[in-house]
RNA sequence: GCUGUUGUAGCUCAGGGGUAGAGCACUUCCUUGGUAAGGAAGAGGUCGCGGGUUCAAGUCCCAUCAACAGCUCCA
């Protein structure tokens, strides 16, 4: 007998060779029906794989990542089988499960797989799944694996096998399809009940843009038809929150082909929103003893040669601006740091001046690849809520922690509870991509890791994601359909101070080099507003929203009363509109609900006589009638209440 | 930049070789209505831009620009 230990540390005995599925069966028939994969001694296994020795196991159902993973991974194989039948000679790259669903990268040779072909592939998958065949695992030697796929002509699989170690290679077969795969898989295709192929796109083989582009087909599957329907509804709902759609509907921003792609135009309402965010951050920054500075939108090319940015990005940027002066070249500024370094150098600095915190809402211009542009989240001109902190090395950690505090304040104020933190370090295998000494990099990386530990912040560590001049701590937030965007960022930099020969005089009356922190809590105003729109679906908090109140007169007879009220509120700093259209009240309510204005005030004969307003809260309906003074106080208290917290 | 898709009225979209359509928005008129769409009339488009095929091109072909999904990239 072998001992199986469960997650709750209970132990039961089974015959050697028992499978995960049989263990589930022994617990309950219901569990046996729901279980999808099993973790055996911290390794993900198939349910049908015999367990031969004592082991600790955890059974996974749909609700576990591991369960879904096996389900979707098996679905990828099913799709591959369908493709193999429909496109004879098709070659396969990789086909993993992802956060939601799965994809497979394939090379259909001369054939082209288009979106219009997806329903056919889908139908074939349904047909194949209905045959209820098992997924069979098979250990195989490297030599045999190579031969199998060479014979088949699957050059991509051959390349993958060449990178694997002998003794670790397994194949999985269902029906007529065999794939190189680590597993685990479902026991049987019968579990895959609902299938939807979502889109087809190009993807470079092994993510390398110099290599061949394969065809990637994305799909998602579910054990129940109802779950698929619900998922598709969810997707539709998410699309309604798209900031590009809401930005247009609420007249926040626009693009013009004539102005140029990736160059956003901020409309009055969007500008109002953005300026209010800027004011909020400025207020916080005053409290943290920042000083505002302003610098030009262009700078002499030499500035960026010194910083190292020109060597790294010069060719892929907006090209230099030439002047009538022979040989004189300026760049649209792609970042603010070099300008701020020059401000540092305006006069000799003492250790008593540090830390020096220099903030600027600085608009920068970067020539992003055309395929990268995306609404307001990725643009060619954007405004960073930038600041550079010049400090003594021993002040670094404290300053870093203070910046983290600012970011937490911002995220809390705007209800971004679900952010992820990422520490981006240098790729130790590929050091030539970065400037600066190993010693400086080590110091900088250590400072970030320690700061996160001190704050108890759980951060994912990514190698090779650092900026070329220093490591960073990024804060990522997801958009409506689950794409991750980097918002706040903090970067430690020992290198620019060296390149710009920044100095301060220490207590010992000798020259020292300061350390620099780059930071942007919002990241950029454009991207932050975009993500904010998707999080709020355009229902901005009262303190932030462009229009706070709209007055709806019952009929045109009460327009004058409405204008009087508007004037009163205006004097009390309330942002108010009057809907004086010749429409029925029901119509006005509907239209203004859709504009997501927080308060609607309905005024007619009763209200005009008594100096009252009938209040509606957006999305909540009628709130009853109160005196106008009372309403003004209520709105101002609500706004002040929020601002006082910070 | 790469692969695929899409560009028709301010917006959302129909029309797929015979000379431009709908709903909403807009303008005017009627209506002055009490908590999510009152009625009528009108105006609005070289069908993304440029070539080509054709007696005839939103419609077919080529090129180009832009947008969308994904890849690559992101100081």
């Amino acid at each position: 007998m072998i001992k199986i230990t469960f997650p709750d540390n209970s132990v039961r005995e089974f015959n050697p060779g028992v499978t995960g599925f049989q263990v589930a069966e022994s617990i309950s028939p219901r569990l046996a029906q729901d279980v999808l994969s099993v973790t055996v001694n911290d390794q993900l296994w198939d349910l049908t794989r015999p367990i031969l020795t004592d082991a600790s196991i955890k059974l996974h159902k749909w609700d576990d990542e591991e369960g879904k993973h096996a389900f979707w991974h098996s679905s990828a194989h099913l799709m591959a089988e369908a493709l193999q039948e429909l496109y004879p000679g098709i070659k396969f790259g990789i086909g993993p499960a992802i956060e939601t669903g799965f994809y497979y990268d394939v090379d259909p040779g001369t054939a082209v797989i288009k979106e219009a072909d997806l329903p056919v592939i889908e139908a074939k998958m349904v047909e194949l799944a209905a045959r209820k065949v098992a997924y069979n695992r098979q250990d195989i030697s490297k030599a045999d694996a190579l031969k199998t796929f060479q014979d088949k002509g699957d050059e991509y699989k051959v390349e993958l096998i060449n990178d694997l170690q002998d003794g670790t290679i397994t194949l999985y077969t269902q029906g007529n399809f065999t794939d190189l795969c680590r597993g685990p898989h479902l026991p049987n295709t019968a579990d895959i009940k609902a299938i939807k192929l979502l889109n087809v796109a190009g993807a470079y083989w092994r993510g390398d843009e110099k290599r061949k582009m394969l065809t990637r087909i994305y799909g998602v599957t579910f054990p129940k038809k109802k779950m698929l329907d619900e998922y598709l509804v969810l997707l539709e709902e998410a699309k309604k929150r798209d900031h590009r759609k809401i930005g247009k509907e609420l007249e926040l921003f626009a693009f013009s082909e004539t102005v140029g792609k990736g160059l956003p135009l901020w409309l009055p309402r969007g500008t109002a929103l953005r300026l209010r965010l800027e004011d909020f951050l400025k207020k916080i920054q005053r409290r943290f003893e920042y000083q505002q500075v302003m610098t030009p939108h262009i700078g002499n090319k030499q500035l960026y040669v010194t910083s190292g940015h020109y060597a790294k990005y010069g060719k892929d940027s907006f090209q230099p601006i030439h002047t009538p002066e022979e040989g004189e070249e300026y760049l649209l500024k792609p970042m603010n740091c070099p300008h701020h370094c020059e401000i540092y150098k305006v006069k000799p600095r003492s250790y008593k001046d540090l830390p020096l915190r220099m903030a600027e809402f600085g608009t920068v211009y970067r020539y992003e690849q055309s395929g990268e542009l995306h609404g307001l989240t990725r643009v060619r001109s954007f405004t960073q809520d930038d600041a550079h902190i010049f400090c003594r090395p021993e002040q670094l950690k404290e300053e870093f922690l203070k910046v983290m505090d600012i970011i937490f304040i911002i995220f809390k104020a705007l209800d971004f509870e679900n952010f992820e933190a990422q520490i981006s370090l240098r790729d130790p295998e590929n050091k030539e991509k970065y400037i600066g000494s190993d010693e400086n990099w080590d110091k900088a990386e250590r400072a970030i890791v320690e700061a996160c530990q001190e704050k108890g912040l759980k951060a994912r560590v990514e190698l090779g994601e650092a900026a070329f001049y220093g490591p960073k701590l990024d804060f990522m937030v997801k958009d409506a359909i689950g794409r991750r965007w980097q918002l706040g960022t903090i970067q430690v930099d020992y290198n620019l101070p060296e390149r710009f020969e920044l100095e301060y005089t220490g207590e010992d009356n000798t020259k020292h080099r300061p350390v620099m922190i780059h930071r942007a809590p919002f990241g950029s105003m454009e991207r932050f507003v975009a993500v904010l729109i998707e999080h709020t679906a355009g229902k901005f908090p009262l303190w932030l929203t462009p229009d706070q109140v709209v007055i709806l007169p019952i009929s045109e007879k009460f327009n004058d009363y409405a204008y009087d009220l508007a004037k009163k509120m205006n004097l009390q700093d309330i942002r108010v509109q009057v809907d004086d259209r010749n429409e029925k009240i029901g119509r006005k309510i509907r239209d203004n609900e859709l504009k997501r204005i927080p308060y609607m005030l309905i005024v007619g004969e009763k209200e005009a006589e008594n100096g009252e307003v009938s209040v509606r809260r957006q999305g909540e309906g009628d709130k009853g009638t109160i005196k106008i003074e009372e309403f003004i106080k209520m709105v101002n208290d609500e706004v002040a209440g929020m601002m006082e917290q910070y």
Side-chain angles (χ1 to χ4, degrees):
Chain A
M1 297 297 266
I2 56 169
K3 288 190 172 69
I4 299 289
T5 310
F6 293 91
D8 64 356
N9 283 325
S10 64
V11 178
R12 286 177 57 187
E13 294 200 335
F14 290 90
N15 289 319
V18 70
T19 65
F21 183 74
Q22 287 162 344
V23 172
E25 264 183 325
S26 77
I27 296 171
S28 86
R30 178 64 191 272
L31 180 60
Q33 202 181 335
D34 290 348
V35 70
L36 297 170
S37 69
V38 58
T39 297
V40 178
N41 295 331
D42 296 327
Q43 281 189 323
L44 265 178
W45 278 28
D46 306 303
L47 285 173
T48 50
R49 187 164 164 190
I51 303 168
L52 301 169
T53 58
D54 289 355
S56 62
I57 74 165
K58 183 172 192 309
L59 295 162
H60 302 296
K61 300 195 290 183
W62 178 261
D63 294 335
D64 299 338
E65 286 305 308
E66 293 88 345
K68 282 196 186 81
H69 193 276
F71 196 92
W72 283 329
H73 196 173
S74 302
S75 303
H77 280 221
L78 182 67
M79 180 169 78
E81 186 182 5
L83 289 167
Q84 185 176 260
E85 294 221 352
L86 294 167
Y87 301 86
I90 193 169
K91 294 170 188 173
F92 295 95
I94 57 164
I98 53 177
E99 220 165 306
T100 309
F102 59 90
Y103 67 79
Y104 219 117
D105 283 348
V106 299
D107 178 359
T110 52
V112 179
I113 300 174
K114 295 180 180 171
E115 222 142 290
D117 302 320
L118 295 182
V120 178
I121 303 168
E122 230 171 77
K124 178 58 85 177
M125 287 174 72
V126 171
E127 180 193 323
L128 293 173
R131 292 182 323 184
K132 306 186 179 185
V133 298
Y135 288 89
N136 290 315
R137 180 175 188 278
Q138 179 194 356
D139 280 298
I140 185 170
S141 72
K142 187 165 179 173
D144 287 347
L146 281 172
K147 185 165 184 321
T148 304
F149 286 97
Q150 267 157 1
D151 290 351
K152 205 179 156 201
D154 245 338
E155 69 233 39
Y156 305 103
K157 294 292 180 191
V158 170
E159 185 180 329
L160 292 173
I161 294 165
N162 272 322
D163 291 350
L164 294 174
Q165 282 212 333
D166 204 358
T168 64
I169 300 173
T170 53
L171 302 183
Y172 277 82
T173 302
Q174 95 273 9
N176 293 320
F177 179 76
T178 298
D179 202 355
L180 167 73
C181 184
R182 198 181 296 129
H185 284 285
L186 302 174
N188 197 289
T189 58
D191 292 320
I192 304 172
K193 296 278 193 340
I195 299 170
K196 178 75 185 172
L197 298 187
L198 297 164
N199 55 352
V200 45
Y204 299 108
W205 171 233
R206 308 201 102 177
D208 184 345
E209 67 179 321
K210 292 185 186 66
R211 305 198 62 177
K212 184 162 179 166
M213 180 162 268
L214 305 181
T215 304
R216 175 171 296 181
I217 304 173
Y218 285 90
V220 66
T221 52
F222 293 90
K224 293 193 181 98
K225 172 81 168 55
K226 190 169 154 243
M227 294 170 86
L228 172 61
D229 293 341
E230 283 168 4
Y231 174 71
L232 293 176
V233 168
L234 206 74
L235 262 190
E236 286 308 308
E237 289 299 314
K239 280 185 190 154
K240 288 182 193 157
R241 294 212 309 271
D242 190 315
H243 77 276
R244 292 165 297 193
K245 183 175 152 64
I246 293 176
K248 194 184 269 184
E249 283 168 5
L250 298 186
E251 295 184 15
L252 300 173
F253 61 90
F255 289 90
S256 148
E257 278 188 37
T258 314
V259 172
K261 62 177 162 185
L263 301 173
L265 304 173
W266 287 83
L267 306 181
R269 291 167 51 85
T271 305
L273 178 76
R274 168 174 155 178
L275 289 177
R276 210 151 276 119
L277 280 170
E278 292 186 8
D279 287 345
F280 179 60
L281 179 56
K282 278 182 192 163
K283 183 181 160 188
I284 307 280
Q285 285 179 168
R286 276 196 297 278
R287 233 178 59 204
F288 280 81
E289 299 178 294
Y290 284 62
Q291 303 173 71
Q292 287 288 135
V293 295
M294 288 168 119
T295 63
H297 286 229
I298 62 172
N300 194 295
K301 180 176 146 186
Q302 188 52 45
L303 202 52
Y304 306 101
V305 172
T306 301
S307 70
H309 287 101
Y310 189 78
K312 177 96 177 159
Y313 295 104
K315 289 182 299 299
D316 306 318
S317 292
F318 284 113
Q319 289 306 291
I321 302 163
H322 295 271
T323 68
E325 195 73 37
E326 181 74 26
E328 193 176 48
E329 292 181 309
Y330 287 87
L331 289 185
L332 275 170
K333 79 173 166 188
M335 77 289 305
N336 305 299
C337 0
H339 286 83
H340 290 186
C341 286
E342 289 301 313
I343 292 181
Y344 183 93
K345 287 173 80 167
V346 161
K347 63 174 187 181
R349 304 285 180 178
S350 145
Y351 73 96
K352 292 176 186 166
D353 298 330
L354 305 184
L356 186 63
R357 308 181 189 91
M358 233 181 258
E360 173 174 17
F361 287 87
T363 304
V364 297
Y365 302 87
R366 296 180 184 175
Y367 191 79
E368 305 289 3
Q369 294 186 57
S370 62
E372 276 318 313
L373 301 174
H374 182 96
L376 276 189
T377 48
R378 195 81 184 269
V379 285
R380 285 181 170 170
S381 102
F382 58 96
T383 301
Q384 295 178 312
D385 54 323
D386 212 355
H388 294 96
I389 299 164
F390 301 88
C391 65
R392 300 158 66 185
E394 62 269 27
Q395 294 168 324
L396 176 64
K397 196 195 287 177
E398 191 189 339
E399 286 304 308
F400 198 95
L401 291 171
K402 281 186 190 166
V403 175
M404 287 173 84
D405 285 338
I406 293 181
I407 292 183
F408 294 148
I409 288 171
I410 297 282
F411 279 23
K412 179 160 177 287
L414 291 155
D415 274 337
F416 283 4
E417 304 285 337
N418 294 319
F419 63 84
E420 297 166 17
Q422 175 179 317
I423 301 175
S424 300
L425 304 180
R426 187 166 62 149
D427 178 0
E429 306 290 309
N430 211 349
K431 289 184 179 174
E432 66 279 8
K433 274 167 59 187
Y434 309 92
I435 60 170
S437 68
D438 281 351
E439 190 202 345
N440 281 347
W441 272 87
D442 288 344
K443 273 195 281 185
E445 294 187 348
R446 209 162 40 237
I448 294 181
V449 171
E450 283 176 17
C452 288
Q453 280 167 352
E454 209 150 303
K455 281 279 171 202
L457 178 71
K458 278 202 187 116
R460 193 175 62 246
V461 175
E462 291 285 340
L463 298 178
E465 293 290 313
F468 75 95
Y469 52 75
K472 52 185 185 165
L473 174 62
D474 290 331
F475 294 84
M476 334 279 278
V477 176
K478 285 187 192 172
D479 72 8
I481 63 170
R483 286 178 291 223
R484 277 188 184 76
W485 295 97
Q486 176 213 308
L487 295 179
T489 180
I490 321 175
Q491 311 178 359
V492 177
D493 187 355
Y494 286 87
N495 291 311
L496 281 192
E498 222 158 272
R499 290 182 160 251
F500 280 91
E501 299 178 329
L502 306 184
E503 292 178 336
Y504 66 90
T505 306
E507 283 171 282
D508 57 2
N509 199 26
T510 64
K511 299 292 183 193
H512 299 270
R513 187 126 289 162
V515 192
M516 204 172 159
I517 298 174
H518 310 245
R519 47 107 273 186
F522 292 135
S524 83
M525 301 314 297
E526 284 73 9
R527 184 176 288 178
F528 193 85
V529 167
V531 175
L532 182 66
I533 291 170
E534 306 213 349
H535 272 247
T536 58
K539 294 172 197 164
F540 304 113
L542 189 67
W543 65 274
L544 195 56
T545 197
D547 297 313
Q548 296 172 306
V549 179
V550 58
I551 306 173
L552 317 183
I554 293 282
S555 84
E556 291 179 339
K557 281 188 275 184
F558 309 104
N559 280 357
D560 286 344
Y561 178 58
Y563 291 130
D564 282 350
L565 294 178
K567 206 167 171 184
K568 250 183 213 154
M569 284 188 245
N570 231 318
L571 289 172
Q572 302 286 327
D573 291 325
I574 293 174
R575 303 184 288 278
V576 58
Q577 304 270 324
V578 178
D579 185 349
D580 58 6
R581 292 175 306 162
N582 176 8
E583 292 291 351
K584 288 193 173 178
I585 195 65
R587 181 50 182 271
K588 291 188 186 183
I589 288 169
R590 181 184 154 76
D591 289 349
N592 286 290
E593 282 282 344
L594 294 177
K595 286 191 191 166
R596 289 112 155 148
I597 298 173
Y599 283 109
M600 268 172 265
L601 300 182
I602 290 154
V603 295
E605 195 174 356
K606 281 183 288 180
E607 290 81 3
E609 272 173 18
N610 303 320
E612 292 179 337
V613 293
S614 172
V615 181
R616 260 187 88 98
R617 181 91 201 198
Q618 202 268 350
E620 296 175 20
D622 196 356
K623 295 281 175 191
T625 302
I626 56 173
K627 295 277 183 205
I628 178 61
E629 289 76 18
E630 227 175 300
F631 176 76
I632 290 173
K633 184 169 183 312
M634 187 175 93
V635 170
N636 283 337
D637 284 355
E638 191 179 335
V639 171
M642 182 276 162
M643 293 308 271
E644 272 163 17
Q645 294 174 45
Y646 303 103

